[in-house]
Amino acid sequence: MSWITVLWSINVGACLTLAAMYLAIWSRGRESLPRLLFSCIAVSAALIAAYEVQLIRADTPEEYSAILRWRPLSTWVLVLSLVGFTRLYLRAGRSWLALSACGLQTLTVIVNFLFTPNLYYREITAVRQVSWAGETISVPLGTPSPWILLNQATLLLLLAFFVDATITVWRRGDRQRALIVGGTTTFFGAIVAVQFALVVWGIIQVPLFASFAYLGIVVALGYQLCDDAVRAAHLASELQIGEERFRRVVEAAPNAMIMIDQESQITLANQQAEKTFGYPREELLGRPIEMLLPERLRSRYRDFRQEYLSDPQSRPMGAGRELLGLRKDGSEVPIEIGLSPIHTSKGLLVLASIVDITERKAAELEAARQRHDLAHLARVTALGELSSSLAHELTHPLTAILSNAQAAQRFLTNDDVDLDEVREILDDIVTQDQRAGEVIHGLRLLLKKGDLQEHCDDVDLNEVIREVINLMRSDLINRNVTVDTDLAQDLPSINGDRVQLQQVLLNLALNGCDAMAGYNCSERRLLIASQWENGAVRVSVADRGCGIPEEKMQQVFERFFTTKKEGMGLGLSVCRTITDAHRGKIWATNNAGGGATFHLSLPIVRAEKDAVVITNQGELNKTSAAMAVAGSPVSLL
Amino acid sequence: MPPTPGHTVFMVDDDEAVRKAISRLLRSAGIASAVFASPSEFLAQYNPDTPGCLVLDMAMPDLDGLQLQTALNEKGCILPIIFLTGHGDVSKSVQAMKQGAFDFLSKPAKDKDLLTAVRAAFERDTVVRQERAKLSEIRTRLDALTPREREVLQHVVSGKLNKQIAGDLGIAEATVKMHRAHVMEKMKVESVAELTRLTERFGIN
């Protein structure tokens, strides 16, 4: 059998096989246009190869011309597909080059059919049988058509296009594709151009074997597409493994995980989510997330979602806010939520990680209760130290009341009763009774344990200072301590618990007195000052005692740290706890002239629109409103 | 009990309501009072010749009751002091007692207790003042004696006879008699027993 027939048949077969393969692959998803174009290229290449083998076997000029006439059509399909492929697959090549090449190619086809016998020859006079490499082949003899230049120009333009595309892809860094697709196409294209010119002009007498160049292109492109397919398959399997892993991680997560789509439909829920909300998974999937929220929070959720979708980032949801979930049984569960946006081809999904904080809340509450108890204990202890002085505080009004009353009784036994005098006495009795009542009321407030709930008010610290000095009056007399005050005018209010702030100042003042116990009476002076600056009110209590050794500056605020024989070491630690709860600061310094000063700094009230703790904002004075600073109302002891 | 004319209660207390009420109570019993808000105010205005007593609050700023007592003792003031105390002033009370406090009343004090204490204090004040007056009278009489007469006086009150005195002093018995007569006259006494009683208080015997 003729080796030419064998070789060209193999060529045709290979091209058709590849064309069929990729056509089949393309027809599956009809997504990848380059695959379809590749099939077109391969089919065209197969046709060209078939024409070539027929040309080799052509006996008459007519036969030769007829076969050659159809060839440009295949070339046209091939060129257009190749250009399209390059543009789509490599995303390279100048469009004007592509358009010009395709245009010229189309023109050659038209010209081909306008003139007889074809584009290449003005006429074919004879077909000569020559012997070539052991085979007899047909070689045409005739006058080449000047239109053949059009063909060559098209080929040159195409080469330019491929070279340009190759360079672009190479520069982009995708060298494999540049070499395999661009490089191969350019190389074989050049071969086709050169060989065709030489044959048609009769410079060499060989059969046209451009189809082998096309086969080279087809094989190269096929290889590249195959490589892509393998990689895609690999990625797909990895993706599958990743997805499986993701699912397992989500499933095994200790938190409840729920994924929702843009319509707020639940698309994924793990075991913990079932447990937290009490719904089986089937009842969650595809349902709106709102079903897991208490009714009253749903509108707020919608606002939040709007806001979140406009700027999706990983962040906690409603930080600092009380979040509640709704269980299937209708009960509510305190939760904390972290959100992560997941961008997918199906749009933005949001993965919510939900922690049931019931236990944590309970623990926090328990801790708060313990702090509260401790603060109360410390307060009662402090008042215990003052008890005899406080009793004394009551004896003044009681003495006045008794003496007034007995004086009145005596006046009334007289014949000539001075009613004005008696009236005056009764007035005084009432006044003194009220005074005693106030002492008792103040004491009761301090002794009362109070609720754990926050009771925040706008507090004027100057007033608190005065109340504390009043409370300590008798004690100060007994201890021979003189208190001087330097209180700032128009002190802005701070937001807090009046009783606890009294406790802090009482502690600081008592400490100051204790520090001066061993000193000469004339030296026992306490200075209590208030001032405000940078959005905070500062109260300082300065004594003239022995001061604090530098190394113990921090230690003094630690629980059970004490230098006193009968001290429990609670006072200052409780002061710090209370101050912390007020988002304030407490610290100590030594005075240049001896003694120590304790400073208490508390943030000035500000109007906060969505405070957790609803406070009685009252009438904020303008200064404090202008001085508004961060620091929301606090969760107190 | 009848009102005690001429006696005044001096009251020192830092609490105005207490001052007012107690002075009112005293007035209801017909007792005059003068009130002072602080020990220093009292010290500034105090006239030792005014009879009466002092009602003193134990705990006060600046000088407390105890310190005022000390200051008055140093001045030789004889006013009896009634302390009004609150609770827990035990140690101070003991101290006050040692310094010669007349009485203690705890606040709030009943009218009877207070008035009884005040009247007793007035009596004490009267007695003390009379005693003081008597003593100063005797002192004046003693001061009028010549040195020789004083010597004779000492011998007389020690129970010696004129003869023994004359011997001891180395003078004539008649001279002793004359001095003795002068002494009896200047000391305004009738008998040796009376003279002895008067001079006992001054340690002359």
Side-chain angles (χ1 to χ4, degrees):
Chain A
M1 202 181 192
S2 152
W3 65 264
I4 288 183
T5 313
V6 173
L7 217 56
W8 261 260
S9 300
I10 290 175
N11 184 344
V12 172
C15 285
L16 284 178
T17 310
L18 283 172
M21 266 172 54
Y22 280 96
L23 192 64
I25 294 173
W26 171 80
S27 63
R28 284 278 181 81
R30 303 193 178 211
E31 278 167 0
S32 170
L33 203 55
R35 284 181 186 157
L36 178 65
L37 292 173
F38 172 80
S39 297
C40 293
I41 294 166
V43 169
S44 316
L47 280 173
I48 290 169
Y51 290 141
E52 276 177 5
V53 76
Q54 285 177 54
L55 286 175
I56 290 169
R57 299 284 175 239
D59 294 326
T60 62
E62 289 74 30
E63 197 184 342
Y64 201 98
S65 303
I67 298 167
L68 207 54
R69 194 170 179 81
W70 291 103
R71 193 193 134 111
L73 202 59
S74 309
T75 316
W76 178 73
V77 174
L78 188 138
V79 165
L80 259 59
S81 301
L82 201 52
V83 169
F85 183 91
T86 310
R87 293 277 301 166
L88 283 176
Y89 185 74
L90 294 183
R91 294 189 309 282
R94 282 159 222 254
S95 44
W96 69 267
L97 274 174
L99 284 173
S100 318
C102 290
L104 269 185
Q105 187 66 45
T106 310
L107 192 64
T108 56
V109 174
I110 295 167
V111 168
N112 175 58
F113 286 104
L114 282 179
F115 296 90
T116 345
N118 55 46
L119 176 71
Y120 313 106
Y121 292 96
R122 194 174 288 162
E123 61 172 341
I124 298 175
T125 50
V127 174
R128 198 156 55 100
Q129 303 292 322
V130 295
S131 173
W132 186 72
E135 288 268 347
T136 309
I137 60 163
S138 304
V139 178
L141 288 176
T143 327
S145 159
W147 289 108
I148 198 164
L149 289 173
L150 190 63
N151 190 56
Q152 294 306 104
T154 309
L155 276 171
L156 282 176
L157 213 51
L158 274 173
L159 282 177
F161 170 74
F162 289 129
V163 168
D164 174 50
T166 307
I167 291 171
T168 309
V169 177
W170 181 273
R171 283 197 185 143
R172 206 190 280 155
D174 194 351
R175 303 204 166 171
Q176 187 190 339
R177 285 185 186 188
L179 277 178
I180 293 181
V181 178
T184 316
T185 312
T186 310
F187 174 69
F188 288 113
I191 289 177
V192 170
V194 171
Q195 195 242 353
F196 199 81
L198 295 177
V199 170
V200 172
W201 275 305
I203 297 168
I204 53 166
Q205 293 198 333
V206 291
L208 282 172
F209 52 82
S211 62
F212 284 94
Y214 293 137
L215 177 64
I217 293 176
V218 167
V219 169
L221 298 190
Y223 169 78
Q224 183 58 43
L225 284 178
C226 177
D227 190 55
D228 286 353
V230 169
R231 268 193 223 181
H234 187 65
L235 282 178
S237 90
E238 271 189 358
L239 193 66
Q240 205 173 1
I241 292 169
E243 204 162 290
E244 182 57 30
R245 201 177 290 156
F246 170 74
R247 263 173 211 288
R248 282 196 196 168
V249 166
V250 167
E251 193 59 34
N255 298 345
M257 303 279 244
I258 289 180
M259 188 143 77
I260 57 169
D261 61 17
Q262 276 178 309
E263 274 73 51
S264 284
Q265 307 272 312
I266 300 171
T267 59
L268 187 146
N270 68 352
Q271 205 180 354
Q272 198 58 37
E274 292 180 309
K275 219 185 271 178
T276 304
F277 292 100
Y279 286 97
R281 206 167 306 196
E282 311 82 78
E283 290 181 32
L284 287 174
L285 296 177
R287 301 283 307 278
I289 188 74
E290 272 101 330
M291 72 189 275
L292 301 178
L293 296 171
E295 196 119 6
R296 60 180 191 284
L297 298 181
R298 286 181 192 169
S299 71
R300 213 163 80 183
Y301 162 74
R302 283 188 275 269
D303 293 346
F304 178 78
R305 193 187 63 178
Q306 211 72 41
E307 185 196 328
Y308 185 79
L309 289 179
S310 67
D311 176 27
Q313 283 174 355
S314 287
R315 60 175 141 156
M317 179 171 168
R321 286 201 191 98
E322 197 93 337
L323 290 175
L324 290 170
L326 182 68
R327 289 209 186 89
K328 190 181 184 184
D329 61 12
S331 60
E332 292 183 351
V333 50
I335 50 176
E336 201 174 73
I337 300 183
L339 295 174
S340 314
I342 298 178
H343 298 275
T344 69
S345 56
K346 289 170 195 160
L348 179 71
L349 299 180
V350 179
L351 184 66
S353 168
I354 302 159
V355 190
D356 178 347
I357 52 171
T358 310
E359 277 176 31
R360 200 175 75 199
K361 280 252 162 198
E364 277 171 9
L365 195 69
E366 182 53 33
R369 190 170 287 138
Q370 280 179 8
R371 282 201 303 273
H372 181 69
D373 288 353
L374 194 61
H376 179 247
L377 177 67
R379 202 154 66 228
V380 172
T381 312
L383 286 174
E385 284 173 34
L386 285 179
S387 62
S388 67
S389 310
L390 289 171
H392 199 82
E393 207 52 29
L394 276 179
T395 59
H396 286 296
L398 288 179
T399 304
I401 289 169
L402 184 64
S403 299
N404 270 320
Q406 291 181 329
Q409 283 174 336
R410 285 169 171 279
F411 282 130
L412 288 173
T413 56
N414 291 355
D415 298 335
D416 181 18
V417 181
D418 181 352
L419 283 179
D420 285 344
E421 173 91 63
V422 173
R423 205 167 289 129
E424 213 176 290
I425 287 174
L426 290 176
D427 285 349
D428 281 1
I429 288 176
V430 171
T431 310
Q432 291 309 307
D433 191 86
Q434 281 166 347
R435 177 180 163 194
E438 274 163 29
V439 173
I440 291 171
H441 179 70
L443 264 184
R444 190 180 289 154
L445 273 185
L446 278 168
L447 283 172
K448 204 169 71 170
K449 198 160 179 184
D451 298 331
L452 188 55
Q453 292 157 355
E454 303 84 358
H455 26 83
C456 289
D457 281 319
D458 287 354
V459 181
D460 175 359
L461 280 178
N462 280 347
E463 234 170 70
V464 174
I465 293 171
R466 286 187 206 106
E467 283 162 2
V468 166
I469 294 175
N470 252 338
L471 194 67
M472 292 182 64
R473 210 182 64 99
S474 296
D475 196 55
L476 291 169
I477 290 170
N478 279 344
R479 293 167 180 256
N480 275 308
V481 174
T482 312
V483 174
D484 303 307
T485 53
D486 177 13
L487 305 183
Q489 301 259 309
D490 305 325
L491 197 69
S493 301
I494 62 109
N495 191 261
D497 183 315
R498 182 182 211 93
V499 171
Q500 293 189 348
L501 293 173
Q502 271 190 15
Q503 178 177 0
V504 172
L505 284 175
L506 181 66
N507 261 320
L508 295 184
L510 283 175
N511 263 349
C513 291
D514 288 343
M516 298 187 287
Y519 286 72
N520 201 326
C521 292
S522 61
E523 287 295 311
R524 295 185 204 165
R525 297 187 87 91
L526 206 60
L527 174 66
I528 304 184
S530 66
Q531 52 180 309
W532 55 292
E533 63 198 351
N534 303 329
V537 174
R538 191 205 285 192
V539 176
S540 49
V541 179
D543 63 53
R544 296 194 184 179
C546 48
I548 307 166
E550 281 302 327
E551 70 272 14
K552 290 187 175 158
M553 261 319 171
Q554 288 303 315
Q555 241 180 312
V556 291
F557 292 105
E558 281 169 22
R559 193 169 290 178
F560 306 125
F561 175 85
T562 183
T563 55
K564 299 174 210 162
K565 266 186 207 154
E566 61 288 340
M568 288 207 292
L570 278 183
L572 284 175
S573 83
V574 168
C575 285
R576 189 171 64 178
T577 317
I578 293 175
T579 313
D580 287 349
H582 282 80
R583 303 199 178 171
K585 276 186 290 186
I586 187 165
W587 70 99
T589 54
N590 279 322
N591 304 333
T597 302
F598 282 84
H599 309 267
L600 171 71
S601 167
L602 297 167
I604 293 168
V605 200
R606 67 165 178 146
E608 196 185 5
K609 57 177 197 262
D610 58 351
V612 187
V613 183
I614 306 305
T615 61
N616 171 19
Q617 293 292 341
E619 285 180 24
L620 282 175
N621 66 39
K622 279 182 186 157
T623 329
S624 70
M627 293 290 297
V629 290
S632 64
V634 288
S635 157
L636 296 180
L637 301 171
Chain B
M1 221 181 277
T4 322
H7 278 81
T8 306
V9 171
F10 300 98
M11 170 160 195
V12 186
D13 197 307
D14 60 322
D15 193 288
E16 195 198 340
V18 172
R19 290 201 298 271
K20 200 169 158 193
I22 287 185
S23 89
R24 202 177 253 151
L25 178 66
L26 293 171
R27 187 147 52 81
S28 74
I31 300 170
S33 60
V35 294
F36 305 90
S38 69
S40 35
E41 195 183 318
F42 169 72
L43 282 175
Q45 294 177 24
Y46 171 58
N47 174 5
D49 292 334
T50 318
C53 71
L54 191 56
V55 174
L56 205 49
D57 184 25
M58 187 69 94
M60 280 178 291
D62 302 330
L63 275 180
D64 67 5
L66 207 57
Q67 287 165 314
L68 177 60
Q69 185 189 29
T70 313
L72 289 174
N73 281 350
E74 280 165 10
K75 283 189 167 190
C77 168
I78 53 152
L79 277 183
I81 299 177
I82 301 169
F83 275 104
L84 283 180
T85 69
H87 296 283
D89 290 346
V90 178
S91 65
K92 283 187 179 176
S93 302
V94 171
Q95 181 71 25
M97 191 94 84
K98 283 183 182 166
Q99 291 182 186
F102 178 73
D103 207 349
F104 291 90
L105 293 173
S106 67
K107 280 181 176 179
K110 285 182 196 152
D111 57 347
K112 272 182 199 151
D113 297 345
L114 180 67
L115 294 176
T116 310
V118 163
R119 288 195 180 107
F122 281 172
E123 269 173 40
R124 158 74 77 86
D125 185 57
T126 310
V127 170
V128 171
R129 277 177 198 281
Q130 283 168 357
E131 192 79 357
R132 275 211 162 188
K134 206 179 274 173
L135 280 179
S136 81
E137 168 65 23
I138 296 165
R139 167 63 67 194
T140 316
R141 291 179 204 169
L142 279 173
D143 288 348
L145 299 180
T146 64
R148 181 58 88 188
E149 285 165 355
R150 197 178 274 263
E151 275 178 322
V152 170
L153 171 66
Q154 275 175 347
H155 282 86
V156 170
V157 295
S158 61
K160 286 185 178 163
L161 300 174
N162 288 350
K163 203 174 181 179
Q164 287 172 304
I165 300 168
D168 285 355
L169 296 179
I171 53 174
E173 197 178 337
T175 316
V176 172
K177 272 185 182 169
M178 184 193 69
H179 284 312
R180 185 172 179 151
H182 282 155
V183 168
M184 297 297 273
E185 188 192 336
K186 281 183 178 171
M187 294 303 287
K188 296 179 182 164
V189 290
E190 304 291 321
S191 64
V192 173
E194 208 177 336
L195 184 68
T196 309
R197 194 168 49 80
L198 274 188
T199 53
E200 250 172 6
R201 293 186 184 165
F202 291 90
I204 302 169
N205 46 30

